[in-house]
Amino acid sequence: MKKKVLISFIVMMGLILTGCGNKLSGAYTGKITLLFVEQKDTMIFDGDKVTEKQNGKVIDKGTYKIDGDDLTIKINDYHLRAKLSDNRNSFTITSADGIANLAKGTTYTKKE
């Protein structure tokens, strides 16, 4: 009986620790140029949620998922895909739906 409990505990801890590796935390900032106007865009990650701010004001909220170095962000009806850096201190938007695709190529860097 003790062996089964120990094995269950080890499996559960492994799942918890694996899940922790698939989360981001903190603020990542990039600069987006729309119609020759540069705007500071910040994505704040907390748990599985993301909040987007532009020029310091909250504009939207959504969720995100990580699979390896692929980051998928869903905000309202928009889906953004990005590549995470090896150290997870930055990511670059590789594609997005609709008007959000204007952010393609933008690199967001974590604030320290």
Side-chain angles (χ1 to χ4, degrees):
M1 181 68 162
K2 289 180 183 180
K3 190 174 183 179
K4 286 183 183 180
V5 172
L6 180 61
I7 291 171
S8 296
F9 177 76
I10 291 170
V11 169
M12 186 171 46
M13 289 306 295
L15 291 172
I16 289 169
L17 293 174
T18 301
C20 291
N22 283 333
K23 300 291 179 202
L24 297 176
S25 65
Y28 291 73
T29 301
K31 293 181 182 174
I32 299 174
T33 303
L34 300 171
L35 301 172
F36 307 107
V37 176
E38 187 175 88
Q39 293 185 2
K40 186 167 124 179
D41 190 63
T42 301
M43 296 210 189
I44 302 166
F45 295 88
D46 184 19
D48 65 346
K49 307 286 186 219
V50 61
T51 301
E52 184 179 16
K53 289 183 174 184
Q54 283 185 355
N55 298 322
K57 295 181 182 179
V58 174
I59 60 167
D60 259 320
K61 294 183 179 189
T63 59
Y64 74 97
K65 291 183 181 180
I66 297 173
D67 183 13
D69 64 352
D70 293 323
L71 171 63
T72 305
I73 301 169
K74 183 180 184 305
I75 297 177
N76 293 326
D77 294 332
Y78 297 109
H79 294 85
L80 295 95
R81 292 192 173 275
K83 284 286 183 199
L84 283 165
S85 65
D86 290 340
N87 62 8
R88 295 191 175 201
N89 284 334
S90 66
F91 61 88
T92 302
I93 304 293
T94 56
S95 67
D97 299 337
I99 196 164
N101 198 42
L102 292 172
K104 183 178 179 181
T106 301
T107 297
Y108 287 76
T109 306
K110 187 171 186 174
K111 290 183 173 181
E112 296 297 323

